[in-house]
Structure formats: structure tokens, C-alpha cells
Amino acid sequence: MKDCNQCGKCCIKYGGDGGLSATREEIEWWQSHRPEIARYVRGDQIWIDPDTGKHFAGCPWLNKAPDEEVYTCDIYFDRPEDCRDYPSLVSEMIRDGCEMIEVQDLSDPRAQEKLDGIMDRR
């Protein structure tokens, strides 16, 4: 199993159209400490366009590095738990085409343990 290479697949797949959620505690923290994030929250829904009231089609915090296939997150250290906890299962990685998984992981019964170790270090 490889470390994350910032391919952005997870953020692109789940970051828009209401695919993510945030805890009440996260939302309250954003309201107190990061109002620039909180402005994209309506009730318990996140990544709402403050002008239209609709979910963004993609995460408003995801940026592609110029001339590269690498993505960065503008709120990485304050991102929602949904983002921090992904991926949690090898089956998710397979389903989503996560580039962290390697061919040998597909038949390795310890692949989930490897993933758990990687995620614990984050």
C-alpha cells in the first residue's frame, strides 16, 4: 500500500453535491474560528454556495496544482472528519479507484491492517 499521492479522486467523487457531512462540533468550531469555512454551511449541510443556496458540484476547497496532476486542500488541517477518515476500508479504495492501493494488496489478507496503520499516522 502506498501513501496518498494527492490524486484527488476521493475529493472529486465525494466533495460535492452533498456527498460529505460535518459534525455539529466541527460546524460550531468553524463558526467560531474559521468563518470563511462556515459561510459554506447551511444548517447541517456543508459546501453550500452562499449565493445560490445549492450544493457545489465539487468541493470548494479542492485545488489542482498548475501543470500537475496533484490536488491540494485549502482547509486540510480543518477539513471535516469525513475527509480525515477516508479511506477507511480496502473495499472503498477498490470501489473508488484509490491510487494508494497496489496490485499485491488485492490478495493480501493484511491489506486492511496496512491501511489502518497508514490512517493512524495521519
Side-chain angles (χ1 to χ4, degrees):
M1 188 134 344
K2 299 183 276 187
D3 286 330
C4 179
N5 67 359
Q6 296 178 273
C7 72
K9 286 182 179 178
C10 54
C11 300
I12 292 166
K13 180 171 183 163
Y14 297 108
D17 292 327
L20 295 174
S21 62
T23 65
R24 173 63 22 215
E25 292 80 15
E26 288 170 322
I27 293 170
E28 289 172 0
W29 191 88
W30 292 334
Q31 290 168 337
S32 297
H33 302 288
R34 297 290 306 268
E36 71 277 19
I37 298 174
R39 74 183 290 257
Y40 295 99
V41 175
R42 292 291 175 270
D44 62 349
Q45 298 290 305
I46 63 172
W47 310 165
I48 304 293
D49 185 324
D51 296 325
T52 67
K54 297 180 181 183
H55 280 107
F56 282 102
C59 178
W61 309 108
L62 182 65
N63 292 297
K64 185 175 180 227
D67 302 320
E68 295 183 46
E69 293 299 317
V70 174
Y71 289 82
T72 59
C73 174
D74 288 345
I75 63 166
Y76 185 80
F77 294 106
D78 298 319
R79 69 196 188 281
E81 188 175 325
D82 273 5
C83 300
R84 288 190 308 269
D85 290 345
Y86 184 90
S88 61
L89 299 171
V90 170
S91 59
E92 285 177 328
M93 298 170 75
I94 294 168
R95 177 193 66 214
D96 297 339
C98 178
E99 295 183 13
M100 288 173 58
I101 199 156
E102 298 179 274
V103 173
Q104 63 267 23
D105 296 323
L106 301 175
S107 60
D108 185 347
R110 297 169 300 163
Q112 185 64 49
E113 290 175 36
K114 289 183 200 175
L115 176 60
D116 293 344
I118 290 169
M119 295 306 290
D120 285 343
R121 291 192 303 259
R122 283 186 168 177

